[in-house]
Amino acid sequence: MIGTLTLDQLRVLVAIEETGSFSAAGRRLRRVQSAISHTVQALETAQGIALFDRSGRVPRFTEAGRVLAAQARQVLRQAEAFERTAQSMAAGLEPELSLAVDSFVPTPPLIRSLAGLRTQHPELAVTLFTEGMGAAERRVHEGSATLGLCALLPSMHQDLQASALTEVTLVPVVATTHALARETRVLTRDILAEHVQLILTDPLQRPGPSFSVVSPRVWRFVEIARRLEFLLAGFGWGTMPLHLVQPHLEAGRLARLPIDDPGLLPRSVGLFAIHHRQRPLGLGARWLLAELQRQSWFD
């Protein structure tokens, strides 16, 4: 009961609105018409408002009755969602799932996995954070995210558990208008150091991580998309995930630098799903993790 209302009264009201008459509502609900009439009269008496105009041969909704029937339908939907959520939680589904994703993670397989989760557990509230370097790991460590999808830094917290997802190919690139794109010498460390290097950094660390930094002159970016824009504009060179720059390489906007020295620049980076060892994953997070591991990340 909600105050002076009952869900049964609201079901009767909605059934009348949907079927068009008291008798049709009775057939749907498997009740005699007199029981339907009694329920409506009790509802009108309790609320102090006429829901039906009975001046004609067949009762018709008043304007107030139509408005309240629409609201009754919303209340019933919420009540059904409440029951589904409660049943799912009793079966082990967590109340909510928060996901932190860093910029190296390819978007299409993530979308497919989240769409599958929505179908599998439509009642699960999901929060998504898109993050820069180091932030997904930090959110999981601090507890503001349940799962993190990220490339791991060497300084990963020991209280985090990592599950491998895929490897992202990294390529050194530069705008085709940049001097390095026309360089005829073998690209050694000394030659690369003559030019500005555009790198990703963690804004909460000062001066920030310096992995695979070759040049003494660096521009630091939090957002990989903005770094790509500056690469395309010819402000420097940098190492980028192949899946993000492939269209620009094919269109001739970027050139791949002929550097084949993993001691100088990494050829790939592993992507992982991470969670806190002391916080067991709920049903939804376990399903999503398994789905992410099943994905074909690069078709």
Side-chain angles (χ1 to χ4, degrees):
M1 180 176 289
I2 310 170
T4 57
L5 288 172
T6 67
L7 292 180
D8 182 67
Q9 290 172 333
L10 299 185
R11 290 190 188 97
V12 168
L13 188 63
V14 168
I16 296 170
E17 195 272 338
E18 291 180 347
T19 62
S21 69
F22 283 36
S23 58
R27 289 192 294 273
R28 171 185 287 187
L29 299 176
R30 297 183 179 180
R31 302 181 193 178
V32 296
Q33 183 173 336
S34 59
I36 298 296
S37 299
H38 176 76
T39 300
V40 170
Q41 290 170 358
L43 179 59
E44 289 177 317
T45 300
Q47 302 306 313
I49 189 168
L51 301 175
F52 291 89
D53 179 359
R54 296 174 174 82
S55 60
R57 186 173 63 85
V58 178
R60 302 291 182 186
F61 269 107
T62 62
E63 183 177 352
R66 292 195 180 280
V67 171
L68 291 175
Q71 291 189 6
R73 186 178 294 104
Q74 294 178 3
V75 172
L76 290 175
R77 281 199 294 263
Q78 290 296 319
E80 290 168 0
F82 178 92
E83 287 186 329
R84 288 195 304 269
T85 301
Q87 291 168 0
S88 297
M89 288 181 183
L93 187 70
E94 56 269 56
E96 61 179 350
L97 171 59
S98 52
L99 186 66
V101 182
D102 82 14
S103 56
F104 277 86
V105 177
T107 300
L110 175 62
I111 288 177
R112 290 195 297 267
S113 297
L114 288 174
L117 178 66
R118 183 172 57 188
T119 299
Q120 185 73 17
H121 298 292
E123 63 278 9
L124 176 61
V126 177
T127 300
L128 177 68
F129 301 99
T130 57
E131 300 289 4
M133 179 179 288
E137 179 183 330
R138 188 161 48 247
R139 279 193 179 276
V140 175
H141 174 68
E142 295 172 351
S144 59
T146 307
L147 277 177
L149 308 182
C150 57
L152 296 184
L153 301 177
S155 58
M156 185 186 85
H157 294 283
Q158 295 303 304
D159 55 4
L160 300 181
Q161 182 171 327
S163 302
L165 297 177
T166 189
E167 288 277 329
V168 172
T169 299
L170 300 177
V171 292
V173 295
V174 70
T176 50
T177 57
H178 193 278
L180 276 175
R182 300 184 297 275
E183 182 62 64
T184 58
R185 295 172 293 173
V186 176
L187 295 181
T188 63
R189 179 182 292 271
D190 290 340
I191 294 174
L192 292 171
E194 296 172 2
H195 303 273
V196 173
Q197 183 178 1
L198 311 185
I199 68 169
L200 284 178
T201 192
D202 185 340
L204 296 188
Q205 295 189 34
R206 303 297 182 195
S210 297
F211 310 115
S212 302
V213 174
V214 175
S215 175
R217 293 184 295 159
V218 296
W219 288 13
R220 300 178 183 274
F221 293 80
V222 175
E223 302 169 352
I224 199 169
R226 183 158 306 201
R227 181 170 67 136
L228 177 56
E229 291 177 355
F230 276 75
L231 282 167
L232 289 166
F235 281 97
W237 67 277
T239 302
M240 289 284 292
L242 179 59
H243 67 273
L244 291 180
V245 297
Q246 187 69 55
H248 301 291
L249 291 170
E250 294 173 354
R253 292 183 289 268
L254 291 177
R256 186 168 179 168
L257 296 175
I259 304 169
D260 190 21
D261 182 356
L264 190 61
L265 296 172
R267 294 173 178 166
S268 66
V269 62
L271 292 185
F272 297 84
I274 61 174
H275 68 275
H276 202 288
R277 296 180 187 276
Q278 302 304 317
R279 303 185 192 111
L281 295 179
L283 186 62
R286 295 197 303 272
W287 189 97
L288 180 60
L289 175 56
E291 184 65 18
L292 289 166
Q293 291 178 310
R294 283 193 295 266
Q295 285 291 326
S296 175
W297 286 84
F298 301 101
D299 296 327

